[in-house]
Amino acid sequence: MSPSGGAPPDVATARRALAGLDRSLEDRSGGRLVLETSAGVPLLLARLPGKLRVAFTTRLGGVSDPPFASLNLSTKTGDDPGAVGQNLARLRRALERVDGETERGAGHSALTLISPSQVHGTRVVGAAEHREQMAEADGLVVHPDLDRGTAALLLFADCVPVVLVGEVDTAVVHAGWRGLLEGVIQQGARAMTGPPALAFIGPSIGPCCYEVGADLRARFAARYGSRTVEGDRLDLWSAAEAALGEIGVLPAQVINPRLCTSCQTELFYSHRRDGPRTGRQGALAWWSGT
Ligand SMILES: [Zn+2]
């Protein structure tokens, strides 16, 4: 844990970090992700044809105090629920602004954010189904007809966010080491109507920072190959890419900007870096103007 773990970036530092991300994102993502600040909330937005929207948040643009500063989206790690509520309202406004208020129109109801209770399992359910049952799940599928006006929001502070994009629907998956070993990404593909053709890997802990024990390294090497291990560190990104290969997503169709949550204190929360009292950033998918 670094001594500054969880400390909020001052305005100038945050601005510099965002400018750096803005400059590098085109190269990092092959032009498939762009940084856009919407209603004061910086978002990493996917460039996709059609009405599907995919976004990743950073820790910037919210109201939470340290060590949760500032756009913490979780009430589960000790932050003031009032502040988290304000952050979620800011995020909702930002997403609606991305859609374009004219497109959505005055007669449309606001976008609803749906978040499951994440348990490091492999259950992936439809967002509509989740809304009715409030189930524990580590992935949500959003469908353009079944989930109108609904954005799937999953929360992260090192685990790997994976968004699977298919011809019909899309899935947002929470893949930590347990989920990766147990096949949560593969399960996400099974829960979709058609096979995924494209995938986004969001900000998560990189092989630069994820030291683990020999036993876990051996399990990953056995399951996903030796390239998932670098010295005494684990490469969750390689494991996620291998899992995506198993469900037919070609390497050229995997967009991984390789943004390490632990390295980039100014931009992201990291459980490994900051300990349990830190915030959560989000990965989102929704259908615009439906
Ligand atoms: Zn790192």
Side-chain angles (χ1 to χ4, degrees):
M1 195 186 305
S2 77
S4 64
D10 61 60
V11 173
T13 308
R15 203 168 282 160
R16 264 200 309 278
L18 272 181
L21 178 60
D22 195 19
R23 276 194 303 275
S24 68
L25 200 54
E26 174 92 22
D27 282 347
R28 283 176 176 274
S29 71
R32 305 300 286 271
L33 286 166
V34 60
L35 181 69
E36 188 175 317
T37 297
S38 173
V41 176
L43 296 169
L44 284 75
L45 277 175
R47 278 198 182 122
L48 289 165
K51 296 199 163 190
L52 176 63
R53 302 283 179 266
V54 171
F56 302 97
T57 67
T58 73
R59 68 183 297 170
L60 302 172
V63 302
S64 289
D65 290 327
F68 304 102
S70 65
L71 192 77
N72 170 36
L73 302 176
S74 173
T75 54
K76 293 191 174 168
T77 54
D79 195 1
D80 168 18
V84 176
Q86 285 187 57
N87 290 339
L88 289 167
R90 279 178 176 233
L91 175 60
R92 219 165 29 236
R93 268 199 305 280
L95 303 185
E96 286 164 5
R97 186 74 62 87
V98 165
D99 281 359
E101 278 149 319
T102 51
E103 190 180 343
R104 188 159 283 276
H108 282 88
S109 57
L111 201 60
T112 304
L113 304 179
I114 298 278
S115 294
S117 182
Q118 298 169 205
V119 292
H120 295 279
T122 56
R123 191 158 179 270
V124 181
V125 297
E129 180 189 341
H130 170 74
R131 206 160 40 226
E132 282 163 21
Q133 301 184 351
M134 296 307 284
E136 288 180 341
D138 285 276
L140 290 181
V141 176
V142 280
H143 188 281
D145 300 325
L146 300 175
D147 300 303
R148 288 180 187 181
T150 298
L153 167 63
L154 276 87
L155 304 178
F156 300 85
D158 287 342
C159 287
V160 184
V162 179
V163 181
L164 304 171
V165 179
E167 276 181 27
V168 179
D169 47 10
T170 192
V172 185
V173 173
H174 167 240
W177 68 260
R178 282 190 197 85
L180 279 163
L181 282 178
E182 288 168 16
V184 69
I185 292 175
Q186 294 88 332
Q187 194 56 41
R190 277 183 219 113
M192 292 166 67
T193 304
L198 181 70
F200 291 88
I201 293 177
S204 36
I205 196 160
C208 37
C209 294
Y210 198 42
E211 206 175 297
V212 301
D215 176 56
L216 193 54
R217 297 199 301 269
R219 287 170 70 189
F220 268 83
R223 177 65 185 83
Y224 288 117
S226 56
R227 73 186 178 121
T228 61
V229 175
E230 284 185 16
D232 55 3
R233 299 181 312 277
L234 197 55
D235 183 349
L236 296 180
W237 292 335
S238 281
E241 287 159 5
L244 289 165
E246 290 180 9
I247 54 173
V249 183
L250 304 173
Q253 299 303 321
V254 179
I255 294 107
N256 180 4
R258 302 183 72 83
L259 293 168
C260 174
T261 43
S262 178
C263 285
Q264 308 221 28
T265 312
E266 298 82 6
L267 293 172
F268 302 112
Y269 302 108
S270 167
H271 182 275
R272 173 59 71 102
R273 182 192 65 221
D274 300 336
R277 273 178 66 79
T278 190
R280 295 289 181 274
Q281 51 255 342
L284 298 120
W286 74 104
W287 299 85
S288 126
T290 54

